[in-house]
């Protein structure tokens, strides 16, 4: 009696033999030249972002105060929005490294 193997079973076993079983790649600090300079640039950019967030917070608080004292609800509302945006920008800038590390670890566990 003649038995035929299913074509997909032979294909899947052939593909499994070709693909590597374990791929382990992690970031390294010496793979490319200029990594330390890039870290310095990113750190400086974070500093500039935090300084600009403080400036935006101060300007928005002044606009909010002027709008509230001049009975201008539109100006006061814009000032409140600016305060929230400045605080959000500071939170995101400060938490950027932690957020990237968190999602990197989530991606590694998939």
């Amino acid at each position: 009696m003649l038995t035929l193997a299913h074509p997909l079973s032979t294909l899947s076993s052939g593909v499994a033999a070709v693909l590597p079983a374990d791929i382990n790649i992690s970031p390294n600090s010496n793979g490319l030249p200029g990594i330390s300079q890039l870290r310095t640039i990113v750190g400086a950019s974070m500093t500039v972002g935090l300084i600009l967030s403080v400036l935006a917070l101060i300007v928005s608080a002044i606009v909010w105060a002027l709008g509230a004292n001049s009975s201008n609800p539109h100006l006061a509302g814009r000032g409140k929005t600016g305060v929230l945006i400045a605080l959000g920008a500071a939170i995101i800038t400060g938490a950027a490294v932690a957020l990237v590390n968190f999602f990197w670890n989530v991606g590694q566990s998939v």
Side-chain angles (χ1 to χ4, degrees):
M1 176 171 189
L2 179 64
T3 59
L4 296 174
H6 193 272
L8 291 179
S9 66
T10 58
L11 177 66
S12 64
S13 65
V15 171
V18 174
L19 293 177
D22 186 26
I23 298 174
N24 190 5
I25 301 172
S26 61
N28 59 34
S29 298
N30 54 8
L32 291 172
I35 295 294
S36 62
Q37 290 84 3
L38 186 59
R39 283 188 179 151
T40 303
I41 291 170
V42 169
S45 299
M46 289 175 66
T47 302
V48 169
L50 290 174
I51 291 170
L52 291 176
S53 294
V54 171
L55 177 64
L57 181 65
I58 292 168
V59 170
S60 298
I62 291 170
V63 168
W64 186 1
L66 288 174
N69 287 330
S70 66
S71 299
N72 187 342
H74 181 71
L75 194 61
R78 291 292 185 170
K80 288 178 193 178
T81 303
V83 166
L84 292 175
I85 290 172
L87 293 175
I91 290 170
I92 291 171
T93 302
V97 174
L99 287 170
V100 169
N101 284 332
F102 171 76
F103 285 108
W104 169 262
N105 291 330
V106 169
Q108 291 297 305
S109 66
V110 171

